[in-house]
Amino acid sequence: MTVREQQIRRFTMDDIPVVVKIHNINNPNNMMTVEMLEAQERGRNSEEILTQVVIEQDGKVVAYGDCGNINATEAADAYHMWITVHPDYGQQGLGVALLDNFVQITKADGREKLITACAEDQARAIDWLTKRGFERIGKFAELNLDVASFDSSFCEDVDRASTYSVTSIHEEQKVSPDVLEVLYQTLVSPLMKEMIQPGGATIDPSFEEYKSMFLERPDSGESVKRTLPVRYDKDLVW
């Protein structure tokens, strides 16, 4: 019988490549890059309560987990959790060990709930969670628009006395270098505060956190380019 040496230890930035590899094996429809996770980790608020650990087996990182407040998301009575285990090391109780660790942390910090999420097509993950006491709440919504048959008649009531023009983020930055902060203050932050996350959590990042989470990630370039500010008369209304 082979005796395997296992160790749970704190996550470090050096673990990112293998954590990304494990994530991508388990989530082929939601791939991540090393650069994306590095940017996310660099942008974390150091004051966030977040425990990040890995499990090493025979000197190799084979599982990752975190528990606490993630990406400026906080609920008064809950922590969020993420666990991912390399499938070659499944059925060994590694995920259960991380879950038990996080349950104890959640209790010790006076929180009543532990929240996690996964795509609705991840039947194996959902089954693993529900068997361990998690309650499935809601489903992701998908809404599709057939643009060929789009009815634009509802736009006919627009106030024609006013003038509006569609520009681009890059054009607006030539006029106002702080246009992204204006976008955050006038639109993004108010909307985020109204979006209730699972477990009653709210998300309220600072502008610096917002930049690191959405604007400075390696994959964010195209989404920023496609953000189209609208000027209605002289006001920027997005």
Side-chain angles (χ1 to χ4, degrees):
M1 178 177 179
T2 302
V3 177
R4 299 184 182 278
E5 294 185 4
Q6 294 180 350
Q7 175 191 12
I8 296 181
R9 63 164 174 81
R10 293 286 182 177
F11 162 86
T12 72
M13 294 288 282
D14 292 337
D15 297 318
I16 285 178
V18 69
V19 171
V20 168
K21 181 179 179 180
I22 295 171
H23 170 274
N24 290 345
I25 292 173
N26 290 329
N27 299 272
N29 295 324
N30 182 26
M31 302 286 274
M32 181 186 293
T33 66
V34 169
E35 292 75 19
M36 287 168 60
L37 188 53
E38 286 177 340
Q40 177 177 300
E41 291 302 322
R42 285 196 299 268
R44 285 198 189 281
N45 183 345
S46 60
E47 296 182 358
E48 283 183 347
I49 301 172
L50 185 66
T51 299
Q52 296 175 277
V53 295
V54 296
I55 294 182
E56 284 187 349
Q57 184 165 289
D58 297 333
K60 294 173 57 178
V61 172
V62 297
Y64 167 86
D66 59 43
C67 174
N69 297 330
I70 55 172
N71 298 331
T73 302
E74 182 174 359
D77 64 346
Y79 274 163
H80 291 77
M81 175 196 81
W82 176 38
I83 292 174
T84 187
V85 178
H86 194 293
D88 289 349
Y89 296 84
Q91 306 299 316
Q92 297 184 27
L94 304 184
V96 173
L98 290 173
L99 174 59
D100 182 63
N101 192 331
F102 295 156
V103 167
Q104 299 310 315
I105 290 173
T106 303
K107 288 181 178 179
D109 287 355
R111 306 294 175 113
E112 297 179 0
K113 288 184 289 188
L114 195 53
I115 302 167
T116 191
C118 57
E120 61 183 346
D121 62 354
Q122 291 185 293
R124 185 166 169 239
I126 293 171
D127 182 63
W128 188 91
L129 291 163
T130 53
K131 283 182 177 178
R132 284 153 183 84
F134 284 81
E135 177 187 3
R136 184 175 181 178
I137 300 175
K139 291 179 65 176
F140 289 100
E142 179 176 342
L143 298 92
N144 298 279
L145 173 66
D146 179 7
V147 295
S149 60
F150 175 62
D151 180 7
S152 61
S153 61
F154 74 90
C155 300
E156 295 175 358
D157 293 331
V158 172
D159 182 2
R160 300 300 181 184
S162 299
T163 59
Y164 64 90
S165 59
V166 178
T167 65
S168 71
I169 285 289
H170 295 299
E171 288 300 315
E172 290 295 328
Q173 284 179 316
K174 294 176 184 178
V175 179
S176 176
D178 64 346
V179 66
L180 290 175
E181 187 164 4
V182 173
L183 166 65
Y184 168 78
Q185 296 290 352
T186 60
L187 181 66
V188 175
S189 180
L191 286 177
M192 279 188 167
K193 291 176 181 177
E194 291 184 6
M195 295 170 57
I196 305 301
Q197 307 296 311
T202 57
I203 181 168
D204 186 19
S206 65
F207 177 59
E208 292 302 317
E209 288 177 291
Y210 169 70
K211 284 199 303 181
S212 68
M213 290 161 59
F214 299 105
L215 304 180
E216 295 176 348
R217 287 172 34 151
D219 61 331
S220 66
E222 287 303 314
S223 62
V224 173
K225 290 177 186 176
R226 293 174 183 173
T227 301
L228 301 177
V230 175
R231 285 196 172 275
Y232 197 69
D233 286 337
K234 295 182 179 180
D235 297 324
L236 198 62
V237 296
W238 307 103

